[in-house]
Amino acid sequence: MGREHRLLVLLVCLVLGGALTAAVLGASEGEGPHEAMSGAMSGSASGAGSDAGSGAPVPGDFVDIRDVPPTREQASRPGPDASTGSFAVDCGRNEEGHYNQDNLVISPGLRHGAHHTHAYVGNRSTDAFSTDESLAAASTTCRGGDRSTYYWPVLRRPDLPATRPYEKAAAHGNTGRILTPADVRLTFHGNPAGQVVPMPRFLRAFTGDAVAFTARSDEGVKARWGCASLPDRSTTRYPRCPAGDRLTRTLVFPSCWNGLDTADPERTHLLFPAANGVCPQNTFAVPELRITLSYDAPPAGAPIALDSFPEQRHSPKTDHAMFVNVMTDDRMAKLVTCVNTGRHC
């Protein structure tokens, strides 16, 4: 009886083990990129293996800018009602050292929700717990009193030691010295198909795809990398620039607003226009924000790495940026008038 009992127990264990294995495999095969990101974030938050699987940029992530063909995009001919102006905002280069691992736009109220470090210009108070009221009351680095917040993941030299506290805080494979931009340009542009309407105050905006490396397509990849000396060439890879040049990253935000919401978990309150500038049905064109960051080009062959989620392996395709409009209604009205009348302010 004892021998038969042991055999029965063994048989039950084998059956249960097989079922469990099948369930795990099935769940893994059905896991999409965004669920994978959530799983990785949960693992990172637990502190288990914070650097495991973080990876590093591989040679294929880099390209000599001189090997990138010039961009031959056909510019849309502005229509008779086009808004052809632009409005520049000077908010400095983050000389104040405003960094954190929060993301007010994507994960409000969650401390260290980004799991990588963001650099900020504009509103000096922005963190995970910011509210419309706290943003409106805070000081700003922008000239002219714009209290909006503009932020993006930092770029690092992983071969150089991190010496400052904020350089060490993110972990999860995001290590090395943070590069400070030599120049930060924030410009709002019009729409080639028609006039733009004011953005509502406290509108939240996001561009790019933080999980592009594991996404099924490059549809969400919005950042373009390049070198200042060859402005007609851009790439989704890290560019190798000539000595003495500047490396650039440019992020363009969606500019078609649904007219109702200032925030949306699915980010459907702001959409991109068609190539000719026409907005999707039931949306309205608002000023288009472009952020251009310039860095003194690293020495030939020096590694660079964008902060990212661990499983995204610091891919340049995962570049992204966020914006919260905290301009006064009067300042936004001046911006819209400038853009709609074709001036450059």
Side-chain angles (χ1 to χ4, degrees), residues 31-56:
E31 185 177 63
H34 295 285
E35 286 126 0
M37 180 187 73
S38 299
M41 286 177 64
S42 298
S44 298
S46 69
S50 61
D51 293 336
S54 62

Side-chain angles (χ1 to χ4, degrees), residues 65-76 222-227 230-237 248 250:
I65 195 64
R66 290 164 291 194
D67 294 334
V68 176
T71 304
R72 301 186 183 280
E73 294 180 356
Q74 295 292 329
S76 298
K222 301 301 179 184
R224 292 296 180 267
W225 298 75
C227 300
L230 295 168
D232 62 336
R233 306 184 187 202
S234 65
T235 177
T236 58
R237 297 155 74 184
T248 64
T250 301

Side-chain angles (χ1 to χ4, degrees), residues 195-216:
Q195 302 280 283
V196 299
V197 301
M199 290 179 175
R201 202 171 191 210
F202 306 116
L203 177 71
R204 269 79 165 155
F206 180 97
T207 187
D209 185 358
V211 295
F213 182 75
T214 55
R216 294 184 177 90

Side-chain angles (χ1 to χ4, degrees), residues 160-226:
L160 299 179
T163 58
R164 293 164 288 191
Y166 63 79
E167 291 180 318
K168 303 176 182 179
H172 310 300
N174 297 299
T175 59
R177 185 168 301 171
I178 291 175
L179 302 179
T180 301
D183 184 60
V184 174
R185 293 188 182 182
L186 311 172
T187 54
F188 291 87
H189 297 261
N191 181 289
Q195 302 280 283
V196 299
V197 301
M199 290 179 175
R201 202 171 191 210
F202 306 116
L203 177 71
R204 269 79 165 155
F206 180 97
T207 187
D209 185 358
V211 295
F213 182 75
T214 55
R216 294 184 177 90
S217 74
D218 286 347
E219 181 181 0
V221 177
K222 301 301 179 184
R224 292 296 180 267
W225 298 75

